[in-house]
């Protein structure tokens, strides 16, 4: 007894009385040890898990874009116009934007492994429902489920590499996860279109339902336990906008992606009008664009982990130049080919670089920041297609390139000014 306030255990004893709870410090130490042990286990031999997540991003992006090559068949089978069938492309992006932050809040402290597996299972259900849809309303409902899956998968998968791999390998792992976007453009969508042309559009959706289910099983086997690093409340999400660097990254993403899709959505009619390109040449050019995008993703991944700002400045410069020069230097097949290769190479690095910026800006709230990023990205896709269409109809088709290039220049200016403010 000391000062009448301290109790001391008899000499030689160290255990708490039977039935008593361990001291708070001991409980916290045990909990921290369990968490560190889980993290250490997650970082050993985790490349199969990274590959499973990468295939998951491929399945998600391909499913989102799959109707692009199937719209005429879908419209004919479900008795709607091509314009109405286009809602199958619009709906997932609009749903994913609010779904990403809402799901991040909803899953709270749930282990991320079953959450990811469940989201991939939901994607499988959505694809199967699309394949069996008796009418267009059912198909639209299935696309709503696709949007939910997109928002959830990206908000978790975007920042998962740093939890699965040691720091020295996190950059390569992030690049591999984001390669699913570029590979989906090069292989996923053309493969789905080919299946639709050779067999039936419903078989294309059924095939990606099977792939989604296989990815869910692979994640269940390869992913280690991924306990939540912290829960966030919905009212706390807007508070992230007070983070100046994160806000800069989100505004930059909005300008860039709006500019890209404002131009790229209408690249086919632009090539037909400016270069007089036929169907065969356009298909070859877009394939070359996709291959360059895959290369750009991995090239950016080698440089962005240390300083995403510098990588973004290079990407934006190349992207703005390519878009703005298409109406001028894209009048020949050779000129159009060079510009689309530069365009694909530059845009291929956008996702991994912008995501890295967001993760660096909010290292203590990676999932919430990634959720905001996914929301902004999907809003920008819809906004770009909408504003680009207004420019094409109201001015001229080639004007979409001027519109898109101007927004990319604004994104570049935003990054440059942010660097000066930091200095």
């Amino acid at each position: 007894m000391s000062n009448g306030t301290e109790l001391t255990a008899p000499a030689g004893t160290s255990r708490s009385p039977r039935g008593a709870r361990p001291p708070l410090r001991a409980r916290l130490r045990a909990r921290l040890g369990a968490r560190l042990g889980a993290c250490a286990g997650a970082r050993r031999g985790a490349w199969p898990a990274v590959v499973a997540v990468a295939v998951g991003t491929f399945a998600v992006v391909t499913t989102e874009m799959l109707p692009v090559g199937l719209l005429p068949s879908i419209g004919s089978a479900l008795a709607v116009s091509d314009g109405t069938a286009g809602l199958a492309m619009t709906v997932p992006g609009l749903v994913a934007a609010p779904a990403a932050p809402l799901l991040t809040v909803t899953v709270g402290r749930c282990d991320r492994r079953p959450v990811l597996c469940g989201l991939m299972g939901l994607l499988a259900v959505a694809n199967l429902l699309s394949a069996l849809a008796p009418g267009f309303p059912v198909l639209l409902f299935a696309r709503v489920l696709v949007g939910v899956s997109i928002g959830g998968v990206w908000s978790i998968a975007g920042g998962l590499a740093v939890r699965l791999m040691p720091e020295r390998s996190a950059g390569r792992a992030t690049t591999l996860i984001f390669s699913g976007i570029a590979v989906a453009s090069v292989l996923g969508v053309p493969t789905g279109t080919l299946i639709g042309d050779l067999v039936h559009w419903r078989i294309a959706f059924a095939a990606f339902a099977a792939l989604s289910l296989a990815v869910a099983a692979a994640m269940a086997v390869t992913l280690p336990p991924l306990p939540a690093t912290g829960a966030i409340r919905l009212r706390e999400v807007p508070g992230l906008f007070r983070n100046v660097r994160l806000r800069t990254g989100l505004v930059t993403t909005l300008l860039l992606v709006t500019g890209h899709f404002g131009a790229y959505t209408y690249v086919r009619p632009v090539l037909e009008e400016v270069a007089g390109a036929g169907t065969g040449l356009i298909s070859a050019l877009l394939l070359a664009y996709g291959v360059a995008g895959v290369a750009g993703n991995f090239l950016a991944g080698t440089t962005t982990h240390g300083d995403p700002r510098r990588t973004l400045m290079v990407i934006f410069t190349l992207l703005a130049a390519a878009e703005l020069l298409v109406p001028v230097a894209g009048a020949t097949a050779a000129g159009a080919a060079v510009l689309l290769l530069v365009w694909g190479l530059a845009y291929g690095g956008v996702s991994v670089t912008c995501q890295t910026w967001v993760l660096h800006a909010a290292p203590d709230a990676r999932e919430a920041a990634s959720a905001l990023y996914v929301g902004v990205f999907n809003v920008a896709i819809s906004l770009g297609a909408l504003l680009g269409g207004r420019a094409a109809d109201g001015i001229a088709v080639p004007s979409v390139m001027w519109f898109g290039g101007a927004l990319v220049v604004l994104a570049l200016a935003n990054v440059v000014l942010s660097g000066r403010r930091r200095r």
Side-chain angles (χ1 to χ4, degrees):
M1 187 83 62
S2 175
N3 297 329
T5 59
E6 291 183 11
L7 293 174
T8 58
T13 62
S14 59
R15 294 184 180 180
S16 301
R18 184 178 299 274
R21 297 184 67 189
L24 177 60
R25 181 179 296 179
R27 296 202 308 272
L28 291 176
R29 187 182 294 115
R31 187 177 301 175
L32 178 61
R35 179 68 57 85
L36 292 176
C39 291
R43 292 170 185 266
R44 291 195 298 266
W47 280 111
V50 172
V51 172
V53 176
V55 179
T57 63
F58 166 81
V60 165
V61 174
T62 301
T63 297
E64 181 179 15
M65 300 173 63
L66 195 56
V68 168
L70 303 173
L71 283 182
S73 300
I74 292 173
S76 175
L78 301 182
V80 295
S81 66
D82 288 348
T84 301
L87 290 173
M89 270 296 296
T90 305
V91 166
L94 294 178
V95 173
L102 288 174
L103 276 171
T104 301
V105 173
T106 302
V107 297
R109 297 189 180 277
C110 297
D111 189 297
R112 277 12 183 190
R113 178 172 65 178
V115 172
L116 270 176
C117 294
L119 288 169
M120 292 306 303
L122 179 64
L123 187 69
V125 171
N127 275 319
L128 184 60
L129 193 58
S130 298
L132 301 175
F136 193 65
V138 175
L139 179 67
L140 278 188
F141 174 72
R143 300 298 288 175
V144 169
L145 299 182
V146 170
V148 174
S149 181
I150 292 169
V153 168
W154 276 116
S155 62
I156 297 174
L160 207 56
V162 295
R163 298 188 63 184
L164 292 174
M165 303 299 296
E167 185 177 357
R168 65 181 181 275
S169 303
R172 285 181 295 159
T174 301
T175 302
L176 181 59
I177 288 173
F178 277 88
S179 68
I181 298 175
V183 175
S185 300
V186 178
L187 296 178
V189 175
T191 299
T193 303
L194 182 63
I195 294 173
D197 290 342
L198 294 179
V199 188
H200 200 279
W201 65 269
R202 294 183 185 273
I203 302 300
F205 280 105
F208 280 93
L211 175 63
S212 302
L213 197 59
V215 171
M219 286 181 174
V221 172
T222 61
L223 283 176
L226 294 167
T229 55
I232 185 170
R233 298 178 181 177
L234 185 60
R235 64 174 179 268
E236 296 174 359
V237 174
L240 292 174
F241 285 102
R242 290 195 293 268
N243 182 325
V244 176
R245 192 178 181 194
L246 177 60
R247 188 169 66 241
T248 300
L250 295 176
V251 171
T252 300
T253 300
L254 179 66
L255 291 170
L256 167 67
V257 177
T258 301
H260 167 74
F261 279 94
Y264 184 70
T265 302
Y266 304 95
V267 68
R268 181 169 190 143
V270 168
L271 291 175
E272 290 174 345
E273 184 169 326
V274 173
T279 302
L281 177 59
I282 291 176
S283 298
L285 290 175
L286 293 180
L287 177 61
Y289 166 91
V291 173
V294 175
N297 175 80
F298 285 99
L299 182 61
T302 63
T303 62
T304 190
H305 196 61
D307 188 357
R309 180 176 170 275
R310 291 184 179 179
T311 305
L312 277 179
M313 291 176 67
V314 174
I315 287 174
F316 292 177
T317 300
L318 294 175
L319 196 59
E323 292 186 18
L324 292 172
L325 287 175
V326 165
V328 179
T332 64
V338 170
L339 291 174
L340 279 177
L341 284 173
V342 173
W343 190 345
L345 188 68
Y347 189 74
V350 165
S351 294
V352 64
T353 308
C354 288
Q355 177 73 49
T356 301
W357 178 301
V358 167
L359 296 179
H360 284 192
D364 297 327
R366 289 193 178 101
E367 285 189 4
S370 294
L372 287 177
Y373 169 72
V374 172
V376 168
F377 202 104
N378 280 279
V379 166
I381 291 174
S382 299
L383 190 61
L386 176 64
L387 296 180
R390 300 290 74 75
D393 292 342
I395 306 174
V397 172
S399 69
V400 299
M401 296 297 164
W402 300 107
F403 164 74
L407 287 182
V408 176
V409 170
L410 287 177
L412 174 61
N414 190 47
V415 172
V416 172
L417 290 175
S418 74
R420 291 181 179 176
R421 286 194 296 267
R422 289 180 63 192
R423 285 195 295 268

